[in-house]
Amino acid sequence: MPNSYFQFKQFTIHQQQAAMKVCTDACLFGAWGAKKIQENKFQGSRLLDIGTGTGLLALMLAQQFNGSIDAIDIDADAAKQARENVNASPWSNSIQVHHMPLSDLDKKGYHFIISNPPFYEQDLRSTDKQRNLALHDTGLTIKELWSYVSKAIHPDGLFAVLLPYHRFEDCLQHAGKNSFSLHEKVEVHQTENHAPFRVMLLFGKEKKLPVQKSMVIKQEGTYSPAFTALLQDYYLYL
C-alpha cells in the first residue's frame, strides 16, 4: 500500500485522497519540465499544469520558477488534495488550483503547459471511477488535450507531456494536426536492459529538428547519474 505522503526536500505531497500516487516517472518528468523552463528563460511568465492530481508537477516547477502557475483537475478529491499540498508549501501565493473541466478554463497566453494526462485510451478500465479519470482518458482524450493546448498556449510557448511509450505516434499525429512541431523526445527506461516504457515530449510552434535522447532510471541497482542530476534538488536522499 502506498505511503499517505511523500517527503521532498522543500515540500510534502500528501496523497491519500488522490487516485494517482507519487511515482518515479512523474517525478522525473517534473524535474525535466523545470529544466526546460530554465533553458528557455520562462521565468516570470505563466504556466499551466493540466491534470494536476496531488499538485506534484506544479510544486516541482514552482521550486525552480518565479512566475504564476494554474493547476487544474476535474476530480474534486484530487483538486482538494492539491490545494492542501500547495497551501502547506512555500509557493502558496504562486499556484492557483482549479477544480473544473479543462474546457471551462478560459485563460490563455501560457508560456509553458505541462501535463501527465490519462494514460490508457481504449485499454481496459478499472471499476474505480476515480482511478479511471486519473489513468484513462474517460475525462480527457489526447485529441481534446491538444485542442485546448493549441488555443491556450503563447505563440512562443512550449508544451511538455508524459505518455506511455506506445502512445507516442498518436500524440505526434495530433501535434501535427494542431501545427505543433516536436522539439525534444526523451525515451525513459527502467534500466539499460528494459525497453522504453515512458516518453517525455516537448512541443512548440517553431519548426525544429527534434532532439532525441534516452533516460535510464536505474543502473546496477541505484539511480543513474543522469536521473540523480535531475532529481537531486528534490529527492531527500540524493
Side-chain angles (χ1 to χ4, degrees), residues 14-199:
H14 292 277
Q15 54 185 3
Q16 54 278 52
Q17 297 177 60
M20 292 308 298
K21 312 304 182 185
V22 172
C23 57
T24 304
D25 48 298
C27 293
L28 172 63
F29 181 52
W32 180 77
K35 184 179 179 183
K36 298 300 115 180
I37 290 170
Q38 293 173 325
E39 289 176 353
N40 289 278
K41 299 179 173 60
F42 286 153
Q43 296 292 349
S45 59
R46 296 172 57 238
L47 312 185
L48 174 63
D49 173 17
I50 298 175
T52 193
T54 60
L56 172 67
L57 296 182
L59 285 163
M60 292 186 76
L61 298 186
Q63 183 176 317
Q64 309 289 350
F65 173 71
N66 62 9
S68 64
I69 300 174
D70 285 316
I72 186 170
D73 205 290
I74 194 173
D75 181 72
D77 289 336
K80 182 175 183 289
Q81 187 89 82
R83 194 172 290 113
E84 291 171 353
N85 289 331
V86 166
N87 288 342
S89 78
W91 309 287
S92 58
N93 293 329
S94 302
I95 304 172
Q96 185 174 359
V97 178
H98 306 269
H99 168 227
M100 63 176 68
L102 184 58
S103 57
D104 288 354
L105 186 67
D106 58 2
K107 298 184 180 181
K108 296 182 179 180
Y110 292 104
H111 279 83
F112 193 80
I113 299 177
I114 193 167
S115 184
N116 180 5
F119 274 169
Y120 305 115
E121 186 172 13
Q122 298 177 348
D123 289 351
L124 292 175
R125 305 280 195 243
S126 163
T127 56
D128 184 334
K129 291 182 180 179
Q130 186 188 31
R131 189 168 175 82
N132 278 338
L133 278 175
L135 262 182
H136 302 280
D137 64 357
T138 51
L140 179 70
T141 66
I142 288 289
K143 181 179 179 180
E144 291 166 342
L145 177 64
W146 270 110
S147 177
Y148 178 81
V149 167
S150 66
K151 298 171 186 174
I153 203 163
H154 187 278
D156 297 325
L158 296 174
F159 173 46
V161 61
L162 173 69
L163 291 170
Y165 188 76
H166 74 274
R167 298 296 301 277
F168 167 65
E169 291 295 340
D170 183 32
C171 184
L172 193 63
Q173 288 181 12
H174 284 291
K177 290 176 182 177
N178 287 278
S179 302
F180 278 79
S181 175
L182 178 64
H183 287 192
E184 188 168 337
K185 174 187 179 186
V186 182
E187 298 179 353
V188 182
H189 305 250
Q190 294 280 15
T191 72
E192 292 173 311
N193 297 322
H194 285 83
F197 76 112
R198 297 282 185 267
V199 61

